[in-house]
Amino acid sequence: MSNLEHIRNFCIIAHIDHGKSTLADRLIELTGTVSKREMQEQILDSMELEREKGITIKLAPTRLIYDYNGEEYILNLIDTPGHVDFTYEVSRSLAACEGAILLVDASQGVEAQTLANTYLALDNNLETIPVINKIDLPSARVPEVKKEIEEVIGLDAENCPCISAKDGTNVEDVLKAIIEKIPAPKGDINGKLKCLIFDSHYDNFKGAICLIRVFDGQVKKGDKILMMQTKKVFEVTEVGIFVPNTKETEVLSAGDVGYLAGSIKTIQDVKVGDTITSAEEPTEEALAGYKEVQPVVFCGIFPVDGARYGELKDALDKLKLNDASLQFSAENSTALGYGFRCGFLGLLHLEIITERLEREFNLDIITTAPSVSYHVYKTSGDMLEISNPSNLPPQVEIERIEEPMVKVNVFTPPEYVGAIMDLCQDKRGVYKNMTYLDKRRVELNYDLPLGEIIYDFFDSLKSRTHGYASFDYEQKGYAPADLVRVDILLNGEKCDALSMIVHKDKAYNRGRELAERLKKIIPRQLFEVPIQACIGNKIIARETISALRKDVLAKCYGGDITRKRKLLEKQKEGKKRMRKIGSVEIPSEAFMSILKLNDEE
Amino acid sequence: MKNNEISIYIHIPFCERKCDYCAFVSFCVNEKEEDKYIDYLTKEMENFKTSKVVKTIYIGGGTPSILSIENLKKIFYTLKSNFKIKKDAEITIEVNPNSLSEEKLFEYKNLGINRISIGVQSLNNDTLKKIGRLHNKDEAIKSIKLASKYFDNISADLIIGLENEKDVYKYAETLIELGVKHISAYMLEIHENTPIFEKFNSQKYLPLNEEEVANEYEKLVEYLEKKNFHQYEVSNFALSGYESRHNLNYWNFGEYIGFGISAHSYINGKRVANANTLKEYFNGVKFQDENNSKTEIEERIFLGLRCILGVDLKVLDKLGYKMQNNENYQMFVKKGILFEKGDRVYLNKKYYLVSDFVISHLL
């Protein structure tokens, strides 16, 4: 249907907050894809949370039609998330494109994710066009940023478009650059069908929807298709494009970006990264897929009201439909009852899921402190993957524990180098390298345990550098570490949901801080309640919550009994949000308090 | 409890000066307002028809002792002409030491009042001044002596938790020597929109902390027990036979009618409250409170457990709540916090001070 020469497939990559979604909005507006009336800000961020947080979470493709020198071009834009948790989504969309717009903030310059995303683009052999954004800012320093792009990234920036996506200045230059510099897709329309599934989502009416890039051949309604990895065969019920809402078309051909539905009942049948080919005339060779994403951060999620376990399960099932990276399995805690151990791509992902559970599904939930997945080598020779601290086997059975490591890149103005080094040291980091990129930018490389990153690394980095440093990380295997489990006993009874795995050198401090914090959070009970932190049988810290002395409103005056009853009812409602360990009542927020421990205190 | 008996509460919302801690409905006196109020009050009483026999009457406030004898007589005239009052009915009036006189006491006696409740609060002059009371220690003592001339059944109020008040039991000692038969000891509650709340917030008034209040309370309870003043409710102590029958009626789920602004009634299974402003009250505004088997269960539990009456488990069962199946209940019984006797369950007096905690776990 379309002439390959007149198609460009591209994505926009950038460090978070450098204006990706705003540029996407302008491009959509400029090409008249969406009428002014329908235009709302950040049009591709359809989730309420995405708009609110100003971040992109899901991939959102859209087709732009642009008239250039009297010829009509189809520009397929795939918006990508900017946060490090969603790097895998970026790499997916890159594989569907021939080129990328690398957007750089004119005042911030090159940041950690600018670099990380550029590497991803280079890995995928994409033509990368630097674009400098936010030139309307008083603090814009276009010449310096051009220099940074050339020196740090190694891209020619001399004639790159300098724009303001906000007010629309020079945005046309971007469209021109896309057409002039990004190569047209290569592919054989008459060849055997070969499509890459770069994302999927679930539609209540149409079933699982595949977001695809066609590399060879054509696909249309009625075709029998084969998923090369899962070996499943489906009949296509609909193909179409995004404008940016879905629009059915007759056919999708080599070079096109669009969607495909095939009454696919479950999203599990659609593996992102899989190749779709024709069931009748299959291609021999599948496209290079992606490695499956593995969750790295785990936590327990429990309903505050135990009776709502079923609702929580339904909600997670629904979220999973559109988020293959979310993992969960049933878990039972003595403290929190029935719930789920959930795996996430990172803390932001965790935060987004828990927030969606609360907002979109109206659930009150308790989340336990996040943990990473440890490799526990037992003396018996077995290896266990442990993401729930309470599942750690007894010390005597453990030969060694390995923890996940990450390679961390920090970009910072030079004045904060000392503070960052202290922080990394504190987080058990191993120094690797330091490069002065220019007068105002230093790149620091450290290897750090992921467990320390998810703890409070990001907040500490932000506060120690006043927000001027940016960081990015990638996984780097496992390394042995001297780790122990710290348990909390309340009135002599272990509270499994408060156990944590920590480095031996930090166990004492963390145990003491947690006991102190719990003393502040747990209300007094009828009896004295000892709080003990221990490693195995060894007590490392102890606090005591003294017994409640007085809890009575003295006057039940003049027959006004309703007022008193209402007060007592309020008190009772408060109890509903409490969990019981033996006879000790614990407010739900106590379970998150491990997170708020601060080594620096 | 006989079903054909009822109690009456009459609210007199006037004071010479409102105390700094008071959050009840009361206003400064003004003769004209007083007369108008008594008119409405007596009309309200006249409009209420019942065949039930009145077993207790309680005139509270505010400060009922500032009422003119004439107005008080009007109230009693209406009471007597409109209700059947039992011969041995307990009839109480609340008085303040500074508005009491021999003449008034004489008239009270003549009207049939047989119980006097005196708002002593403290016997320390500095303390009394700080909370805006208009009497001092000597006047308090004088008023008790005076009342004793005419009345045997005298009660005195004390407040626990006032600034610097670390030996409240010593006041109880003085009161008992003076012949007081009943003591109510209320713990200070600081309510919003009171002068003391402001002072407390700006740290100009430093009441005892929770720990100190608990200590004072326990010392007082111990002392009163020694003096044979047995504790029959969280805040109430009396020599045997001098318990307030009016209050026991509230806690025992007996019926009562409240007349006057902000007064509450419980009659025919319904809880009704009069309006809190004079304007609304004069217009006859009343509010009916939520009332069903759930609220009745809750009310029975907290009213019964706060006092020596206890709760009838069979009655709860009939209302649809088998409290014995509550796991907290079982734990409390096991630990001796609650104890059962026949069909009833009682709160161990040692735990009166944390009764709200216990009760909220049973609802």
Side-chain angles (χ1 to χ4, degrees):
Chain A
M1 166 186 110
S2 23
N3 176 356
L4 285 178
E5 277 309 308
H6 288 95
I7 299 179
R8 297 291 183 271
N9 295 317
F10 73 103
C11 57
I12 309 174
I13 53 178
H15 188 77
I16 197 158
D17 280 343
H18 280 199
K20 232 166 0 122
S21 297
T22 315
L23 175 59
D25 285 354
R26 277 306 86 70
L27 295 177
I28 290 169
E29 207 179 60
L30 204 63
T31 54
T33 308
V34 172
S35 70
K36 266 263 194 275
R37 187 175 53 81
E38 294 167 317
M39 194 71 199
Q40 53 175 328
E41 251 183 69
Q42 319 237 309
I43 195 153
L44 297 182
D45 293 346
S46 54
M47 240 185 278
E48 185 194 339
L49 258 176
E50 289 186 315
R51 287 221 182 93
E52 213 170 277
K53 289 189 185 256
I55 52 171
T56 306
I57 300 166
K58 292 293 288 178
L59 296 179
T62 190
R63 166 181 288 211
L64 314 170
I65 307 287
Y66 186 60
D67 223 26
Y68 179 67
N69 292 343
E71 288 177 68
E72 199 175 76
Y73 282 83
I74 294 171
L75 311 180
N76 289 311
L77 156 67
I78 303 173
D79 197 12
T80 61
H83 192 274
V84 56
D85 278 11
F86 302 101
T87 301
Y88 81 105
E89 300 241 9
V90 179
S91 64
R92 277 201 227 151
S93 56
L94 296 177
C97 301
E98 278 79 34
I101 299 293
L102 175 69
L103 202 60
V104 183
D105 183 307
S107 73
Q108 308 270 330
V110 172
E111 296 279 4
Q113 278 154 254
T114 315
L115 197 63
N117 285 330
T118 308
Y119 289 149
L120 285 176
L122 294 177
D123 286 349
N124 283 281
N125 297 316
L126 297 196
E127 180 62 40
T128 306
I129 307 168
V131 172
I132 295 173
N133 188 23
K134 304 197 190 181
I135 57 164
D136 57 309
L137 290 181
S139 55
R141 25 178 210 99
V142 175
E144 287 97 322
V145 171
K146 275 189 178 176
K147 220 174 128 209
E148 269 179 37
I149 294 173
E150 292 187 343
E151 283 173 7
V152 180
I153 301 183
L155 289 174
D156 179 8
E158 207 190 320
N159 298 312
C160 75
C162 296
I163 66 163
S164 163
K166 200 171 128 209
D167 62 24
T169 312
N170 300 337
V171 174
E172 291 256 10
D173 293 353
V174 179
L175 290 168
K176 283 177 193 149
I178 290 166
I179 291 166
E180 286 165 6
K181 295 200 174 137
I182 293 176
K186 292 187 193 74
D188 181 0
I189 291 184
N190 303 313
K192 290 176 179 169
L193 180 66
K194 217 188 239 186
C195 319
L196 173 74
I197 306 177
F198 64 86
D199 202 1
S200 65
H201 64 250
Y202 193 82
D203 182 286
N204 283 337
F205 303 105
K206 299 174 186 167
I209 308 260
C210 307
L211 274 61
I212 56 169
R213 157 71 199 274
V214 187
F215 282 88
D216 286 317
Q218 298 193 332
V219 62
K220 57 183 190 307
K221 189 171 166 178
D223 287 354
K224 287 240 171 4
I225 52 160
L226 168 74
M227 305 284 189
M228 293 186 76
Q229 218 178 313
T230 59
K231 305 269 186 276
K232 296 223 163 131
V233 174
F234 298 98
E235 188 180 315
V236 178
T237 54
E238 185 180 328
V239 295
I241 54 170
F242 298 94
V243 286
N245 296 322
T246 54
K247 184 184 165 198
E248 191 170 353
T249 56
E250 263 177 43
V251 66
L252 288 177
S253 317
D256 280 340
V257 171
Y259 69 91
L260 175 156
S263 48
I264 307 167
K265 294 263 157 44
T266 75
I267 197 102
Q268 273 70 28
D269 286 334
V270 177
K271 279 242 176 319
V272 171
D274 199 355
T275 303
I276 296 177
T277 187
S278 158
E280 277 129 19
E281 251 189 294
T283 176
E284 294 79 39
E285 211 182 325
L287 296 159
Y290 320 110
K291 55 177 187 223
E292 224 170 292
V293 272
Q294 292 300 330
V296 291
V297 175
F298 301 83
C299 80
I301 297 184
F302 297 83
V304 167
D305 177 358
R308 300 184 73 187
Y309 171 82
E311 283 174 63
L312 176 59
K313 182 172 188 309
D314 290 347
L316 284 168
D317 277 331
K318 279 192 186 129
L319 289 178
K320 170 99 183 146
L321 285 179
N322 284 320
D323 187 349
S325 54
L326 169 68
Q327 289 191 356
F328 59 93
S329 54
E331 180 173 280
N332 187 9
S333 152
T334 45
L336 299 172
Y338 290 101
F340 297 92
R341 173 112 320 225
C342 304
F344 306 94
L345 300 168
L347 281 184
L348 179 71
H349 189 209
L350 183 157
E351 195 185 312
I352 286 163
I353 294 291
T354 51
E355 235 175 276
R356 291 184 71 187
L357 286 172
E358 284 178 336
R359 277 205 228 174
E360 293 171 29
F361 298 92
N362 269 323
L363 288 163
D364 274 338
I365 53 172
I366 302 174
T367 50
T368 61
S371 164
V372 296
S373 176
Y374 296 95
H375 287 175
V376 178
Y377 293 86
K378 294 176 72 175
T379 46
S380 63
D382 295 344
M383 192 275 274
L384 302 173
E385 283 191 44
I386 301 285
S387 65
N388 180 349
S390 56
N391 292 342
L392 194 71
Q395 204 72 42
V396 288
E397 291 175 27
I398 298 173
E399 200 244 321
R400 69 175 197 283
I401 305 177
E402 294 191 351
E403 62 179 336
M405 300 295 293
V406 290
K407 213 170 107 184
V408 171
N409 279 353
V410 183
F411 276 51
T412 178
E415 57 266 38
Y416 301 117
V417 165
I420 294 170
M421 284 182 147
D422 285 346
L423 175 66
C424 290
Q425 206 78 36
D426 200 37
K427 301 285 179 197
R428 301 189 282 126
V430 177
Y431 170 82
K432 287 290 166 187
N433 195 18
M434 178 164 72
T435 322
Y436 276 82
L437 302 172
D438 57 32
K439 258 189 243 149
R440 52 176 297 283
R441 200 148 293 254
V442 180
E443 184 186 350
L444 274 164
N445 305 119
Y446 268 86
D447 284 352
L448 276 156
L450 179 62
E452 298 285 349
I453 299 275
I454 66 166
Y455 187 57
D456 65 350
F457 184 83
F458 187 58
D459 286 342
S460 303
L461 183 71
K462 224 159 91 181
S463 69
R464 288 187 191 204
T465 64
H466 305 290
Y468 281 112
S470 62
F471 96 110
D472 190 80
Y473 66 84
E474 57 185 279
Q475 289 165 51
K476 204 199 166 194
Y478 276 72
D482 208 351
L483 299 164
V484 291
R485 186 178 73 207
V486 176
D487 292 322
I488 294 293
L489 304 184
L490 294 170
N491 208 16
E493 285 193 53
K494 190 161 107 183
C495 181
D496 59 357
L498 289 171
S499 295
M500 52 188 177
I501 293 176
V502 293
H503 193 266
K504 208 174 158 192
D505 294 346
K506 296 191 169 182
Y508 175 79
N509 272 344
R510 292 261 182 97
R512 185 175 43 79
E513 281 168 20
L514 183 53
E516 280 169 9
R517 189 169 286 268
L518 289 172
K519 184 184 173 174
K520 279 184 207 150
I521 294 176
I522 299 175
R524 295 199 284 168
Q525 327 262 320
L526 285 181
F527 307 95
E528 191 178 274
V529 177
I531 305 170
Q532 294 159 306
C534 53
I535 301 172
N537 292 323
K538 194 177 145 217
I539 310 288
I540 55 170
R542 184 193 157 109
E543 293 285 333
T544 306
I545 304 171
S546 55
L548 179 69
R549 287 295 305 278
K550 173 180 173 277
D551 181 8
V552 60
L553 284 172
K555 226 162 185 175
C556 197
Y557 186 81
D560 183 2
I561 278 148
T562 306
R563 177 178 155 263
K564 171 89 183 155
R565 180 176 58 75
K566 283 182 182 158
L567 286 170
L568 282 165
E569 244 184 16
K570 227 174 164 182
Q571 217 169 330
K572 181 186 80 172
E573 284 309 307
K575 305 270 182 283
K576 265 197 185 162
R577 296 187 63 92
M578 303 257 213
R579 289 299 164 133
K580 260 180 144 180
I581 303 295
S583 55
V584 182
E585 284 173 330
I586 310 173
S588 354
E589 62 265 28
F591 297 97
M592 276 301 274
S593 60
I594 304 183
L595 245 195
K596 312 233 166 67
L597 296 180
N598 192 341
D599 287 338
E600 292 159 56
E601 263 176 25
Chain B
M1 184 177 58
K2 288 178 208 157
N3 282 334
N4 65 338
E5 291 186 346
I6 201 161
S7 291
I8 288 178
Y9 175 80
I10 294 168
H11 192 73
I12 306 299
F14 302 113
C15 288
E16 259 172 276
R17 177 194 196 285
K18 190 163 180 163
C19 304
D20 288 356
Y21 53 85
C22 179
F24 293 116
V25 175
S26 71
F27 318 97
C28 283
V29 262
N30 164 325
E31 252 171 67
K32 247 177 150 181
E33 280 284 287
E34 188 184 307
D35 290 348
K36 186 178 175 195
Y37 182 78
I38 299 299
D39 276 353
Y40 276 87
L41 181 70
T42 48
K43 226 171 272 160
E44 190 193 4
M45 288 158 69
E46 277 163 10
N47 287 337
F48 192 94
K49 299 293 174 206
T50 181
S51 58
K52 295 186 181 184
V53 183
V54 178
K55 61 175 175 183
T56 71
I57 297 170
Y58 194 101
I59 303 169
T63 313
S65 53
I66 63 169
L67 278 185
S68 65
I69 295 296
E70 205 173 308
N71 277 333
L72 195 65
K73 277 182 176 165
K74 274 189 198 159
I75 292 171
F76 272 86
Y77 175 79
T78 314
L79 277 170
K80 285 169 186 166
S81 54
N82 201 49
F83 297 98
K84 265 181 267 170
I85 300 170
K86 268 178 94 173
K87 262 216 164 101
D88 65 343
E90 174 193 276
I91 303 175
T92 309
I93 187 165
E94 279 184 347
V95 302
N96 268 355
N98 49 298
S99 55
L100 202 58
S101 65
E102 184 144 11
E103 188 201 351
K104 280 182 183 169
L105 284 161
F106 178 77
E107 294 293 343
Y108 291 170
K109 184 97 184 173
N110 278 346
L111 287 169
I113 291 171
N114 51 29
R115 187 170 179 271
I116 301 281
S117 172
I118 306 178
V120 174
Q121 319 307 2
S122 167
L123 289 176
N124 178 300
N125 289 341
D126 285 343
T127 301
L128 288 165
K129 213 169 156 187
K130 260 191 203 154
I131 57 174
R133 297 293 293 192
L134 294 172
H135 66 268
N136 59 29
K137 178 185 174 179
D138 291 342
E139 283 165 327
I141 290 172
K142 212 176 108 192
S143 71
I144 297 168
K145 283 183 177 162
L146 209 57
S148 306
K149 280 200 197 169
Y150 297 89
F151 297 95
D152 167 51
N153 193 348
I154 297 171
S155 171
D157 286 357
L158 289 174
I159 298 178
I160 300 172
L162 295 170
E163 185 176 283
N164 292 328
E165 290 280 346
K166 290 245 170 106
D167 282 312
V168 173
Y169 78 95
K170 286 188 179 155
Y171 304 149
E173 193 175 0
T174 309
L175 296 174
I176 293 168
E177 278 166 14
L178 289 166
V180 163
K181 303 291 196 303
H182 182 283
I183 290 175
S184 297
Y186 297 112
M187 284 164 272
L188 177 68
E189 285 170 24
I190 294 187
H191 295 277
E192 267 180 75
N193 303 321
T194 59
I196 215 163
F197 178 79
E198 305 302 327
K199 281 193 211 161
F200 172 70
N201 269 350
S202 54
Q203 300 196 321
K204 282 181 193 137
Y205 189 81
L206 304 166
L208 301 191
N209 64 33
E210 216 177 278
E211 209 64 25
E212 293 166 328
V213 170
N215 289 339
E216 282 310 299
Y217 179 83
E218 281 171 2
K219 268 155 61 186
L220 180 67
V221 170
E222 198 186 331
Y223 175 77
L224 289 172
E225 289 288 336
K226 255 198 307 208
K227 292 285 175 183
N228 294 321
F229 272 66
H230 74 99
Q231 186 175 20
Y232 70 101
E233 195 251 6
V234 170
S235 303
N236 286 284
F237 308 82
L239 289 173
S240 206
Y242 287 94
E243 300 87 359
S244 159
R245 280 156 56 198
H246 185 81
N247 279 340
L248 282 168
N249 181 60
Y250 289 148
W251 307 328
N252 204 23
F253 244 73
E255 290 189 312
Y256 51 90
I257 326 157
F259 295 116
I261 184 169
S262 79
H264 291 252
S265 302
Y266 174 63
I267 190 151
N268 298 327
K270 287 195 176 76
R271 296 202 179 276
V272 179
N274 284 352
N276 278 333
T277 64
L278 281 174
K279 197 177 158 203
E280 281 179 302
Y281 171 65
F282 290 156
N283 285 325
V285 177
K286 287 175 193 286
F287 304 96
Q288 188 167 331
D289 286 322
E290 188 194 353
N291 189 253
N292 49 46
S293 62
K294 180 179 165 273
T295 60
E296 185 175 339
I297 290 166
E298 294 180 349
E299 287 160 4
R300 282 190 183 270
I301 293 172
F302 81 76
L303 290 172
L305 291 182
R306 283 171 61 93
C307 68
I308 51 164
L309 295 169
V311 185
D312 191 328
L313 292 166
K314 271 214 232 136
V315 171
L316 291 188
D317 201 359
K318 253 186 230 156
L319 288 165
Y321 181 39
K322 223 174 167 51
M323 190 156 70
Q324 299 94 307
N325 292 346
N326 181 316
E327 57 165 358
N328 292 321
Y329 177 88
Q330 292 163 3
M331 194 258 288
F332 290 147
V333 170
K334 215 164 89 193
K335 298 204 166 171
I337 295 164
L338 295 175
F339 62 94
E340 292 168 332
K341 218 184 205 173
D343 289 333
R344 297 185 91 86
V345 62
Y346 303 87
L347 177 63
N348 183 334
K349 283 184 188 177
K350 273 196 273 179
Y351 294 93
Y352 272 174
L353 205 45
V354 289
S355 55
D356 282 4
F357 183 95
V358 175
I359 291 162
S360 61
H361 278 80
L362 295 171
L363 299 182

